[in-house]
Amino acid sequence: MLSDSEAKELLSFLHLDTRADVRGQATEYILGLTGTRDGCRYLQTQPGFLKALITLTADSSIAIVKDCYHALINLSADETLHETLIKEADILPMLFRNLLDPEYVFADRICTILTNLTRHERTCREVFRVMQEQDVGLAKVVEIFCIEGFNKKALLHYLGPLLSNLTQLPESRHFLLDKERCVVQRLLPFTQYEGSVTRRGGVVGTLRNCCFDYMYHEWLLSDAVDILPFLLLPLAGPEELSEEENEGLPVDLQYLPEDKTREEDPDIRKMLIETLLLLTATKVGRQIMKEKNVYPIMREFHKWEKEPQVIASCEKLVQVLIGDEPEAGMENLMEVEIPQDVEQQLKDLDTKEQEQVEKETLLLLRQEAEKEVVEQPNMQNPEGLER
Amino acid sequence: MASPTQGEDSDDGMDEFMEKFKTHKYKNAFNESNWEEEFDKVPMFMKTAPEDIDPVKHPDLACLQSIIHDDERPPEEQAKSLKDEGNEYFKEKNYTKAIVSYTAGLKKNCSDSDLSAILYTNRAAAHFHLGNLRSALNDSISARKVKPCHLKAIIRGAQCCMELRNYAAALQWCDEGLKLLPTDKKLLELRSTADKRRRAAERDARKSKAKEKKKQTERGTLLAAIKERGIRLLQPKQPQHRGSDSEEDGSDDGTTAAMAELYLDGLDSQEATGAQVYLDEQGALHWPVLFLYPEHRQTDFVSAFCENSSFIDHLAVMFGEELPPWDTERKYHPQHLQVFFEDHETQHLYEVDVGTSLLKILQLPCCCVQAGTPSFIVLVKGSPFCEQYFSNKKVRLLLLKPLC
C-alpha cells in the first residue's frame, strides 16, 4: 500500500483547514481504498485516517462529507474494521450526536453505518453499551424511529434493521419488552408501513427476535401489547370470510376491505410466520392463537402463497394450530430435551425438507427466467437484515 | 380597659350591669319560639353552611367571608384561598360551586403558574364530573399552556378525549404524558384503552361499510332480476312522472329511486309489515301481495308470494278449509272467487286467471307494481256486489291469459 512517508503526507492533507481541492482529492483517494478489501485491511492499521474521516464529516463541502460517509459505510461493512472504528477512531459519539439531530442531513447514512456495526454480536454489544452510556438509549432510538417526520431531511428507515440487530442482545430485548413502559407497542403499527420495505423488515425482524424469549409470550399476546393482529394483518387478504369466522377474529382483522393486499416481500412474510411459530412454543401461546382464530387466516394465506420456502413455514404453523397438544412434559416446545438419536433424525428430515424446498425454488426460478422477467437488483442493502 | 377605679368599682360596675337584666330584657336575646333557628344562624353553631350567603339574613357569615376573601391581600393568597374553597366544594361533590370558586381564583390573574395550572386542572375535573367535556378539555389545554409538564392536566385531557370518542387525540395526549413520565400507570392504561377503542371503532366502520356494500349489491341484483322479467315498478310519490313511467320498461331512473320506493310503506292497509320483495337461493322472486275484498272492506296480506305460485294455490289455502269470519254470507269459496287487477291510471279492471302464476301476471304490459306490493281485488262471481262494483268502474273484462 502506501509507504509510511506517503501515508504521513496524505494524512496531512486531511484537515479541515487544508485547501478544498486538496482535501477533496485526498478524501477521494481514501474512498477508493475502502472500495477494495485490501484497502480496507490497510486502513485498519491506520487509525489516523479513520479519525480524519470522522472529523471531515463536519466539512463545509458537501461533496467531501458525502465521500467520508461513503468511505465509512464501506469500512463498517467489514467486520475486521469494527474494533478500530469504535475504539481507536471513537466513531460512536459523533454518530449518535448527529443521529439525534432532527436537522442532520446525513442521518440516513449514520443509520446504515450503525446497522453494519451491529451486525455481529461483539461489536453490537459495544454499540449498545455506548448508547446507554451516552444517554442516547434505546428509548430515544425507538422514539425518533416512531415519530413521523422527525428529521425532514432523512427518512431514518434503516433504524429498523438497526433495532433488529440490537435485539440479538438479551439486554436490549429486555428493554424493548419493558412491561412498565410503552415501547414495543409503538413499533407494532410499522409491520404494515407501506412506505419502506426496509423499515417494515426491520420491525418484523425486531419482533421476531423478541419472541425468542418465551417468558414474554403471554404478555405479548395479551391486551397490554396485543402483538397478534399486527403479525397477521400483513398475511391477511381480501378474501371474504363467513360472518362466524369474522366474529372470532381479533378486531383488527375483521371485515377487511376488498382491496386488502398482502405483504409483497417474501422474506418478510417468512419472518412473520416464523414469529408466529415462535409464539406457539408455550401452551398458553398455542391456546390463545387457537382461540383467536388464526387458522382461517393461514388457510387463505396458504392458498395464495407461491414461494416454496414460505409455504413450508406456513405448513409448519398450520400443523401446530390444528394439531393435537403435545404430551405432558413437552408443553413448552422450547424447553423440550431432544434425545440424541431423535435429534439426528430431525436433522436429517430437516435437510431432506430443505433440499426439497430448494428444488422447488430452483424450479420456480427457472420458470421465471424462461419468462424473461427482468428483476431490479436490490439497492445497497447493508448486511444485517437477516438476523 | 383603663379605668380610674379598680377592684371594687369594676365589680360594682358588673353588679350594676347584671342588675339591669332583672328588669330589662337582653336586647339581642334569641326569641323563645324560634331560638333553634336563630342558633343555626350563628356561624359558630351552624351545622351546615347555607347555599347562598345572603348578607341580610346572615350578616355574620357574610362578614367572615369577606375577611377570607379580602381584596386587600396579594392575588396569590386570594387565588389560593379560592382554590381551597373550590376543593372543599369538590369534595362535597358540589361541582358547580367548585367551578365558581376556581373561576374566581383564575380571575385573580396571579403570577404563580403552578397555582394557575392547578386551578385550571381542578376546574377541568369539576367540568368533567358534570359532563361538560368540551369545557373540561379546554381547561386541560389551558392548564398545559401555563405549565406544559403538568401531568394531571395531561391525564385529564386524555380522559376528555376518550369520552368524546376522539381516540386518536387521546393517544396523542397519552404519548405526550408518557414522554414526561414513561412509567405512569394511569397513562399506560389510558393509552391501551384508547388504542383498543380506536381499533374497535375502525372495525365497526369497516363492518358497516361491508354490510352497506352487501346491501347495495343485493339491491342491485334484485332490481336487475325484476327488470329482467320486464316487471314495471311504479313510483307513486312522484305523480308528475307517472305518465312517462308507464311508457318505460322497468325503472331506468336509477336503482336508488326505485329501491327507495320499494321501501315505502305505501300500503293502504294496516297490515304494512315492511315486508319487501326478495330473491331466493333458486333465483325466484317472492313478493308481498295484498288481497283486497271491497265488498267487506277487508284485506289479506301475503308476505311472500312466490312468483311461480298461482293465485289459486293461495286462495285454496286462505279460503279452502275455513271461510274468514267477515264472510257473513259464507260465499267466498275458492272456486267462486274472481281476482282482478286494477290499473290505477286507466282505472280499468283486468280479470286474472287464478291458475296463472304471479310472475306471468306481473309481466303483462298493463300491470304495474305500486309501492313494491302488487295488489289484487277479490270478488265473488256473479254476486250482486260484483255487478254494482263493475258499474262504477270501467271494466275491461279481458281475461289476463299470457300468450304461451
Side-chain angles (χ1 to χ4, degrees), chain B residues 76-111:
Chain B
E76 286 77 24
E77 250 189 72
Q78 292 184 54
K80 186 168 185 301
S81 313
L82 286 162
K83 177 201 78 164
D84 290 334
E85 184 184 77
N87 289 354
E88 285 299 315
Y89 282 131
F90 194 100
K91 277 198 207 131
E92 290 169 21
K93 301 205 195 239
N94 195 335
Y95 301 119
T96 319
K97 284 236 150 135
I99 290 171
V100 171
S101 304
Y102 294 138
T103 310
L106 285 165
K107 280 220 178 79
K108 298 292 171 188
N109 263 329
C110 71
S111 51

Short mmCIF file of all heavy atoms in Angstrom, two decimals, chain B residues 76-111:
data_model
loop_
_atom_site.label_atom_id
_atom_site.label_comp_id
_atom_site.label_asym_id
_atom_site.label_seq_id
_atom_site.Cartn_x
_atom_site.Cartn_y
_atom_site.Cartn_z
N GLU B 76 -51.97 36.09 44.91
CA GLU B 76 -51.61 34.68 45.09
C GLU B 76 -52.37 34.07 46.26
O GLU B 76 -52.87 32.96 46.20
CB GLU B 76 -50.10 34.52 45.34
CG GLU B 76 -49.23 34.70 44.13
CD GLU B 76 -49.07 36.17 43.78
OE1 GLU B 76 -49.24 37.02 44.69
OE2 GLU B 76 -48.81 36.47 42.61
N GLU B 77 -52.41 34.85 47.35
CA GLU B 77 -53.12 34.34 48.53
C GLU B 77 -54.59 34.17 48.27
O GLU B 77 -55.20 33.18 48.67
CB GLU B 77 -52.94 35.33 49.68
CG GLU B 77 -52.05 34.82 50.78
CD GLU B 77 -52.08 35.75 51.97
OE1 GLU B 77 -53.11 35.78 52.67
OE2 GLU B 77 -51.08 36.46 52.18
N GLN B 78 -55.16 35.18 47.60
CA GLN B 78 -56.58 35.12 47.31
C GLN B 78 -56.87 33.92 46.43
O GLN B 78 -57.83 33.17 46.67
CB GLN B 78 -57.03 36.40 46.60
CG GLN B 78 -56.97 37.63 47.49
CD GLN B 78 -57.51 38.84 46.75
OE1 GLN B 78 -58.63 38.81 46.25
NE2 GLN B 78 -56.72 39.90 46.66
N ALA B 79 -56.02 33.78 45.40
CA ALA B 79 -56.24 32.66 44.48
C ALA B 79 -56.15 31.34 45.24
O ALA B 79 -56.94 30.42 45.01
CB ALA B 79 -55.21 32.71 43.36
N LYS B 80 -55.17 31.28 46.16
CA LYS B 80 -55.01 30.03 46.90
C LYS B 80 -56.24 29.73 47.74
O LYS B 80 -56.70 28.59 47.80
CB LYS B 80 -53.76 30.12 47.78
CG LYS B 80 -53.48 28.79 48.45
CD LYS B 80 -52.11 28.73 49.10
CE LYS B 80 -51.86 27.34 49.65
NZ LYS B 80 -52.86 26.95 50.65
N SER B 81 -56.77 30.78 48.39
CA SER B 81 -57.97 30.54 49.21
C SER B 81 -59.11 30.07 48.35
O SER B 81 -59.87 29.17 48.73
CB SER B 81 -58.42 31.83 49.92
OG SER B 81 -57.34 32.45 50.51
N LEU B 82 -59.23 30.69 47.19
CA LEU B 82 -60.32 30.29 46.30
C LEU B 82 -60.13 28.86 45.84
O LEU B 82 -61.09 28.11 45.68
CB LEU B 82 -60.41 31.26 45.11
CG LEU B 82 -60.99 32.62 45.49
CD1 LEU B 82 -60.66 33.67 44.46
CD2 LEU B 82 -62.51 32.50 45.66
N LYS B 83 -58.87 28.53 45.62
CA LYS B 83 -58.61 27.14 45.23
C LYS B 83 -59.04 26.19 46.34
O LYS B 83 -59.72 25.19 46.10
CB LYS B 83 -57.11 26.94 44.93
CG LYS B 83 -56.77 25.50 44.58
CD LYS B 83 -55.32 25.17 44.78
CE LYS B 83 -55.03 24.94 46.24
NZ LYS B 83 -53.76 24.28 46.51
N ASP B 84 -58.66 26.54 47.56
CA ASP B 84 -59.04 25.68 48.69
C ASP B 84 -60.54 25.57 48.81
O ASP B 84 -61.10 24.50 49.06
CB ASP B 84 -58.46 26.25 49.99
CG ASP B 84 -56.94 26.10 50.03
OD1 ASP B 84 -56.44 25.17 49.36
OD2 ASP B 84 -56.27 26.91 50.69
N GLU B 85 -61.18 26.75 48.62
CA GLU B 85 -62.64 26.75 48.70
C GLU B 85 -63.23 25.83 47.64
O GLU B 85 -64.11 25.01 47.91
CB GLU B 85 -63.15 28.18 48.50
CG GLU B 85 -64.65 28.30 48.67
CD GLU B 85 -65.11 29.72 48.35
OE1 GLU B 85 -65.18 30.05 47.14
OE2 GLU B 85 -65.39 30.46 49.29
N GLY B 86 -62.70 25.96 46.43
CA GLY B 86 -63.18 25.11 45.34
C GLY B 86 -62.98 23.63 45.67
O GLY B 86 -63.86 22.80 45.42
N ASN B 87 -61.82 23.33 46.24
CA ASN B 87 -61.54 21.94 46.58
C ASN B 87 -62.53 21.40 47.60
O ASN B 87 -62.94 20.25 47.53
CB ASN B 87 -60.11 21.82 47.14
CG ASN B 87 -59.07 22.01 46.04
OD1 ASN B 87 -59.42 22.12 44.87
ND2 ASN B 87 -57.82 22.07 46.42
N GLU B 88 -62.91 22.26 48.55
CA GLU B 88 -63.90 21.84 49.54
C GLU B 88 -65.21 21.48 48.87
O GLU B 88 -65.81 20.46 49.16
CB GLU B 88 -64.11 22.94 50.58
CG GLU B 88 -62.97 23.09 51.58
CD GLU B 88 -62.78 21.82 52.40
OE1 GLU B 88 -63.78 21.25 52.88
OE2 GLU B 88 -61.62 21.39 52.56
N TYR B 89 -65.64 22.38 47.99
CA TYR B 89 -66.89 22.12 47.27
C TYR B 89 -66.77 20.84 46.46
O TYR B 89 -67.71 20.04 46.37
CB TYR B 89 -67.22 23.28 46.32
CG TYR B 89 -67.79 24.50 47.02
CD1 TYR B 89 -67.27 25.76 46.78
CD2 TYR B 89 -68.86 24.38 47.89
CE1 TYR B 89 -67.79 26.88 47.39
CE2 TYR B 89 -69.39 25.49 48.52
CZ TYR B 89 -68.85 26.75 48.28
OH TYR B 89 -69.38 27.86 48.88
N PHE B 90 -65.60 20.66 45.88
CA PHE B 90 -65.35 19.48 45.04
C PHE B 90 -65.52 18.21 45.87
O PHE B 90 -66.17 17.26 45.45
CB PHE B 90 -63.94 19.56 44.46
CG PHE B 90 -63.69 18.59 43.33
CD1 PHE B 90 -63.75 19.03 42.01
CD2 PHE B 90 -63.39 17.26 43.56
CE1 PHE B 90 -63.51 18.15 40.96
CE2 PHE B 90 -63.16 16.38 42.52
CZ PHE B 90 -63.22 16.83 41.23
N LYS B 91 -64.94 18.26 47.07
CA LYS B 91 -65.04 17.08 47.96
C LYS B 91 -66.48 16.76 48.26
O LYS B 91 -66.86 15.60 48.39
CB LYS B 91 -64.30 17.36 49.27
CG LYS B 91 -62.81 17.10 49.16
CD LYS B 91 -62.15 16.96 50.54
CE LYS B 91 -60.69 17.37 50.42
NZ LYS B 91 -60.23 18.30 51.43
N GLU B 92 -67.29 17.84 48.41
CA GLU B 92 -68.71 17.64 48.68
C GLU B 92 -69.48 17.28 47.43
O GLU B 92 -70.70 17.18 47.46
CB GLU B 92 -69.32 18.93 49.25
CG GLU B 92 -68.86 19.28 50.64
CD GLU B 92 -69.30 20.69 51.00
OE1 GLU B 92 -70.26 21.20 50.37
OE2 GLU B 92 -68.67 21.29 51.87
N LYS B 93 -68.80 17.15 46.31
CA LYS B 93 -69.38 16.89 45.00
C LYS B 93 -70.26 18.03 44.51
O LYS B 93 -71.11 17.84 43.65
CB LYS B 93 -70.21 15.59 45.03
CG LYS B 93 -69.35 14.41 45.43
CD LYS B 93 -69.92 13.11 44.90
CE LYS B 93 -69.26 11.98 45.61
NZ LYS B 93 -68.56 11.01 45.09
N ASN B 94 -70.03 19.22 45.07
CA ASN B 94 -70.78 20.36 44.58
C ASN B 94 -69.96 21.01 43.47
O ASN B 94 -69.29 22.03 43.66
CB ASN B 94 -71.02 21.35 45.73
CG ASN B 94 -72.09 22.34 45.37
OD1 ASN B 94 -72.33 22.61 44.20
ND2 ASN B 94 -72.73 22.88 46.39
N TYR B 95 -70.00 20.37 42.32
CA TYR B 95 -69.08 20.76 41.25
C TYR B 95 -69.36 22.15 40.70
O TYR B 95 -68.44 22.87 40.31
CB TYR B 95 -69.12 19.73 40.13
CG TYR B 95 -68.73 18.34 40.61
CD1 TYR B 95 -69.63 17.28 40.51
CD2 TYR B 95 -67.49 18.10 41.17
CE1 TYR B 95 -69.29 16.02 40.96
CE2 TYR B 95 -67.14 16.84 41.63
CZ TYR B 95 -68.05 15.81 41.52
OH TYR B 95 -67.72 14.56 41.97
N THR B 96 -70.63 22.50 40.66
CA THR B 96 -70.97 23.82 40.12
C THR B 96 -70.34 24.92 40.95
O THR B 96 -69.74 25.87 40.44
CB THR B 96 -72.50 24.00 40.10
OG1 THR B 96 -73.09 22.78 39.68
CG2 THR B 96 -72.90 25.11 39.16
N LYS B 97 -70.45 24.77 42.26
CA LYS B 97 -69.87 25.78 43.13
C LYS B 97 -68.35 25.77 43.03
O LYS B 97 -67.70 26.80 43.05
CB LYS B 97 -70.26 25.47 44.59
CG LYS B 97 -71.67 25.84 44.90
CD LYS B 97 -71.66 26.77 46.07
CE LYS B 97 -72.83 27.69 45.99
NZ LYS B 97 -73.48 27.82 47.26
N ALA B 98 -67.82 24.56 42.92
CA ALA B 98 -66.36 24.46 42.81
C ALA B 98 -65.88 25.26 41.61
O ALA B 98 -64.89 26.00 41.68
CB ALA B 98 -65.96 22.99 42.67
N ILE B 99 -66.61 25.11 40.51
CA ILE B 99 -66.22 25.83 39.29
C ILE B 99 -66.23 27.34 39.52
O ILE B 99 -65.33 28.07 39.09
CB ILE B 99 -67.16 25.45 38.13
CG1 ILE B 99 -66.88 24.01 37.71
CG2 ILE B 99 -66.97 26.38 36.94
CD1 ILE B 99 -67.86 23.45 36.72
N VAL B 100 -67.26 27.80 40.27
CA VAL B 100 -67.34 29.24 40.55
C VAL B 100 -66.09 29.69 41.30
O VAL B 100 -65.47 30.71 40.96
CB VAL B 100 -68.62 29.55 41.36
CG1 VAL B 100 -68.60 30.97 41.84
CG2 VAL B 100 -69.85 29.28 40.52
N SER B 101 -65.71 28.91 42.30
CA SER B 101 -64.53 29.28 43.10
C SER B 101 -63.27 29.28 42.25
O SER B 101 -62.47 30.23 42.29
CB SER B 101 -64.35 28.30 44.25
OG SER B 101 -65.51 28.23 45.03
N TYR B 102 -63.10 28.21 41.47
CA TYR B 102 -61.89 28.13 40.66
C TYR B 102 -61.83 29.30 39.67
O TYR B 102 -60.77 29.88 39.43
CB TYR B 102 -61.83 26.81 39.90
CG TYR B 102 -61.70 25.58 40.79
CD1 TYR B 102 -62.44 24.43 40.51
CD2 TYR B 102 -60.83 25.55 41.87
CE1 TYR B 102 -62.33 23.29 41.30
CE2 TYR B 102 -60.72 24.42 42.66
CZ TYR B 102 -61.47 23.29 42.37
OH TYR B 102 -61.36 22.18 43.15
N THR B 103 -62.99 29.59 39.10
CA THR B 103 -63.03 30.68 38.12
C THR B 103 -62.62 31.99 38.77
O THR B 103 -61.84 32.77 38.23
CB THR B 103 -64.44 30.82 37.52
OG1 THR B 103 -64.88 29.53 37.10
CG2 THR B 103 -64.46 31.78 36.36
N ALA B 104 -63.17 32.21 40.00
CA ALA B 104 -62.80 33.43 40.72
C ALA B 104 -61.31 33.45 40.97
O ALA B 104 -60.64 34.48 40.84
CB ALA B 104 -63.58 33.50 42.02
N GLY B 105 -60.76 32.28 41.32
CA GLY B 105 -59.33 32.19 41.58
C GLY B 105 -58.52 32.55 40.35
O GLY B 105 -57.52 33.28 40.42
N LEU B 106 -58.99 32.06 39.21
CA LEU B 106 -58.26 32.33 37.97
C LEU B 106 -58.34 33.80 37.60
O LEU B 106 -57.42 34.37 37.01
CB LEU B 106 -58.81 31.46 36.83
CG LEU B 106 -58.39 29.99 36.91
CD1 LEU B 106 -59.24 29.14 35.99
CD2 LEU B 106 -56.92 29.85 36.51
N LYS B 107 -59.47 34.41 37.96
CA LYS B 107 -59.64 35.82 37.62
C LYS B 107 -58.61 36.69 38.32
O LYS B 107 -58.32 37.80 37.87
CB LYS B 107 -61.05 36.30 38.03
CG LYS B 107 -62.13 35.92 37.05
CD LYS B 107 -63.12 37.08 36.88
CE LYS B 107 -64.19 36.74 35.86
NZ LYS B 107 -65.25 35.88 36.39
N LYS B 108 -58.08 36.18 39.44
CA LYS B 108 -57.10 36.99 40.17
C LYS B 108 -55.81 37.17 39.38
O LYS B 108 -54.98 38.00 39.72
CB LYS B 108 -56.77 36.31 41.52
CG LYS B 108 -57.95 36.17 42.44
CD LYS B 108 -58.46 37.50 42.96
CE LYS B 108 -59.76 37.30 43.70
NZ LYS B 108 -60.40 38.57 44.05
N ASN B 109 -55.65 36.32 38.32
CA ASN B 109 -54.50 36.50 37.43
C ASN B 109 -53.18 36.55 38.15
O ASN B 109 -52.31 37.35 37.84
CB ASN B 109 -54.66 37.83 36.66
CG ASN B 109 -55.26 37.57 35.30
OD1 ASN B 109 -55.04 36.51 34.72
ND2 ASN B 109 -56.01 38.52 34.81
N CYS B 110 -53.03 35.68 39.12
CA CYS B 110 -51.78 35.75 39.85
C CYS B 110 -50.64 35.18 39.02
O CYS B 110 -50.86 34.44 38.07
CB CYS B 110 -51.90 35.00 41.17
SG CYS B 110 -51.99 33.22 40.96
N SER B 111 -49.45 35.50 39.42
CA SER B 111 -48.30 35.14 38.60
C SER B 111 -47.81 33.72 38.87
O SER B 111 -46.92 33.24 38.21
CB SER B 111 -47.17 36.13 38.88
OG SER B 111 -47.00 36.19 40.29
#
